[in-house]
Amino acid sequence: MVTARNSNIMEILHSKSIHVCRNKLIESIKQTIYQSSLFYETVYDLDSLVDSNRNKRQYLVNLLRDNSKIFIQRGREDVKKLQFESRFESGNLRKAIRVGLREYELILTPDVNSSTQHQWFYFEVSNMETNYKYTFNIVNCKKINSQFNFGMKPVIFSVIDALKGRIGWTRSGQDICYYQNNYCMQGQKKNYFTTSFTINFPHSEDICYIAYHYPYTYSQLMVDINRWARSINPCEIYLRVDKLCDTLNGNENPLLTITAPESTKNPINKRKLVFLTARIHPGESNASWIMLGTVEALLSHSTYASSLRNDYIFKVVPMLNIEGVINGC
């Protein structure tokens, strides 16, 4: 799936508007009071798709070809209704409900073996029109506050821009806010929270991916490990890749060992051990980017990295909750 790389461009924080958040909260209350008079249309339902053998077969067919260019080049009959998808690695949209002409309420899939943790989001959108604002309300968040209230923006990837060789993932969004809504958690006297943002898509008939943060998938990790193993000089750097264990779904959980090669003057058994891990919480993809930078720094040819390898043995588990990362939790 599409992953991210640093663009080396400074990111601009959004300025939170009290008036925007107040208006969205009032609108949420109105929707609760006047539910019978509102327009609701389910435009994406993962549960129904999983239960449908016909859609399963079509999904497998789609996986075997690159639909991105095909979908971009052909029009759609209903250009006003967005189309959603999340059946890809780290995607986690469960349901999308159209509640206005260009407004959608989204429900996320929770962490594996849990019904309570909702923070990460990653989904595909297509069939949009440019020069129109689309509002997305993710309505089953659970944290009492969010970085979206402190300047953070969601990230977006445009396939059309990528095909033209432009920058990949970028921060985007307006009217961003995070607030408690009127949906009650089952069996609890608590309400969910809403992550709300508006996007003006850069192109019509594009395919865009929207995520909480720059994605870093399990597949990307395995590609990076293979790249590291092929690029280092074993006479200068000791890098060993072992299998720590297999996950419940049979995915290999890699364990990296990084140090300097054995020598009589500096035996390995005299060095101290440093243990590093990341992605205990699978939705925190920023941890993988930090780990990526850490490993690449340890494998570099700088004097500082060489000194660290001479003094320490680094045991690195770069992704602990692999199943959660794959399933977009």
Side-chain angles (χ1 to χ4, degrees), residues 67-81:
N67 277 326
S68 298
K69 296 180 183 179
I70 298 173
F71 285 159
I72 288 171
Q73 292 169 357
R74 77 183 185 202
R76 307 287 181 86
E77 292 181 1
D78 183 5
V79 296
K80 294 182 179 179
K81 184 193 305 182

Side-chain angles (χ1 to χ4, degrees), residues 44 46 84 86 91-96 106-109 122-123:
Y44 180 79
L46 181 61
F84 293 83
S86 67
N92 71 333
L93 179 64
R94 186 169 186 173
K95 182 175 284 190
L106 310 180
I107 298 174
L108 305 177
T109 302
Y122 186 16
F123 56 90

Side-chain angles (χ1 to χ4, degrees), residues 237-253:
I237 302 172
Y238 180 91
L239 170 63
R240 192 178 76 212
V241 182
D242 297 308
K243 181 171 70 173
L244 177 65
C245 62
D246 285 323
T247 67
L248 293 176
N249 283 342
N251 295 299
E252 178 181 326
N253 194 337

Side-chain angles (χ1 to χ4, degrees), residues 277-297:
T277 68
R279 296 301 281 274
I280 297 175
H281 300 148
E284 297 171 355
S285 62
N286 52 313
S288 282
W289 292 108
I290 294 171
M291 182 62 79
L292 174 70
T294 300
V295 172
E296 293 193 338

Side-chain angles (χ1 to χ4, degrees), residues 248-263:
L248 293 176
N249 283 342
N251 295 299
E252 178 181 326
N253 194 337
L255 168 66
L256 311 182
T257 303
I258 302 172
T259 189
E262 176 81 74
S263 68

Side-chain angles (χ1 to χ4, degrees), residues 9-284:
I9 298 175
M10 294 292 291
E11 297 178 350
I12 300 175
L13 299 177
H14 84 88
S15 298
K16 179 181 175 181
S17 170
I18 299 298
H19 299 291
V20 168
C21 290
R22 179 177 177 273
N23 291 338
K24 289 194 175 189
L25 182 58
I26 292 174
E27 189 63 29
S28 174
I29 295 172
K30 286 182 179 179
Q31 289 180 2
T32 302
I33 297 174
Y34 304 109
Q35 282 187 5
S36 59
S37 62
L38 294 177
F39 169 79
Y40 288 96
E41 180 186 7
T42 298
V43 295
Y44 180 79
D45 188 345
L46 181 61
D47 296 323
S48 296
L49 291 173
V50 169
D51 291 338
S52 170
N53 290 328
R54 179 178 60 83
N55 283 305
K56 281 183 181 179
R57 288 196 297 270
Q58 184 59 46
Y59 173 55
L60 292 174
V61 170
N62 290 342
L63 281 179
L64 298 176
R65 66 186 184 191
D66 181 6
N67 277 326
S68 298
K69 296 180 183 179
I70 298 173
F71 285 159
I72 288 171
Q73 292 169 357
R74 77 183 185 202
R76 307 287 181 86
E77 292 181 1
D78 183 5
V79 296
K80 294 182 179 179
K81 184 193 305 182
L82 291 181
Q83 296 190 2
F84 293 83
E85 184 57 86
S86 67
R87 290 172 293 175
F88 50 79
E89 187 176 5
S90 294
N92 71 333
L93 179 64
R94 186 169 186 173
K95 182 175 284 190
I97 304 169
R98 189 183 183 196
V99 296
L101 187 62
R102 294 183 178 86
E103 183 172 359
Y104 297 83
E105 288 194 351
L106 310 180
I107 298 174
L108 305 177
T109 302
D111 197 351
V112 177
N113 294 325
S114 169
S115 61
T116 60
Q117 302 303 319
H118 309 85
Q119 172 180 286
W120 169 262
F121 57 85
Y122 186 16
F123 56 90
E124 174 194 297
V125 179
S126 59
N127 204 36
M128 69 283 289
E129 297 176 281
T130 192
N131 297 323
Y132 290 100
K133 292 183 178 181
Y134 292 86
T135 299
F136 301 92
N137 303 312
I138 301 172
V139 298
N140 64 329
C141 302
K142 293 204 66 173
K143 294 177 65 176
I144 62 173
N145 212 335
S146 170
Q147 290 300 313
F148 287 120
N149 276 338
F150 300 95
M152 191 171 87
K153 296 181 179 181
V155 295
I156 183 172
F157 182 97
S158 164
V159 171
I160 286 181
D161 281 346
L163 291 174
K164 293 180 178 179
R166 298 172 184 168
I167 189 172
W169 289 94
T170 58
R171 294 282 180 187
S172 184
Q174 307 150 16
D175 298 342
I176 303 168
C177 58
Y178 186 88
Y179 57 90
Q180 192 170 31
N181 60 40
N182 294 294
Y183 294 114
C184 187
M185 300 178 193
Q186 187 174 6
Q188 301 183 46
K189 295 181 179 180
K190 297 179 181 179
N191 284 31
Y192 285 106
F193 289 79
T194 293
T195 298
S196 181
F197 52 89
T198 298
I199 290 180
N200 190 337
F201 292 100
H203 308 285
S204 294
E205 299 300 327
D206 195 0
I207 294 178
C208 291
Y209 297 89
I210 301 173
Y212 176 84
H213 189 70
Y214 300 106
Y216 189 96
T217 62
Y218 174 68
S219 295
Q220 182 63 50
L221 171 65
M222 302 308 287
V223 169
D224 285 335
I225 290 175
N226 181 64
R227 175 172 56 85
W228 296 329
R230 293 165 62 92
S231 63
I232 62 106
N233 182 351
C235 296
E236 299 176 359
I237 302 172
Y238 180 91
L239 170 63
R240 192 178 76 212
V241 182
D242 297 308
K243 181 171 70 173
L244 177 65
C245 62
D246 285 323
T247 67
L248 293 176
N249 283 342
N251 295 299
E252 178 181 326
N253 194 337
L255 168 66
L256 311 182
T257 303
I258 302 172
T259 189
E262 176 81 74
S263 68
T264 54
K265 294 182 179 180
N266 184 18
I268 286 181
N269 60 5
K270 297 295 184 181
R271 302 172 196 172
K272 295 180 180 180
L273 188 68
V274 177
F275 190 63
L276 303 174
T277 68
R279 296 301 281 274
I280 297 175
H281 300 148
E284 297 171 355

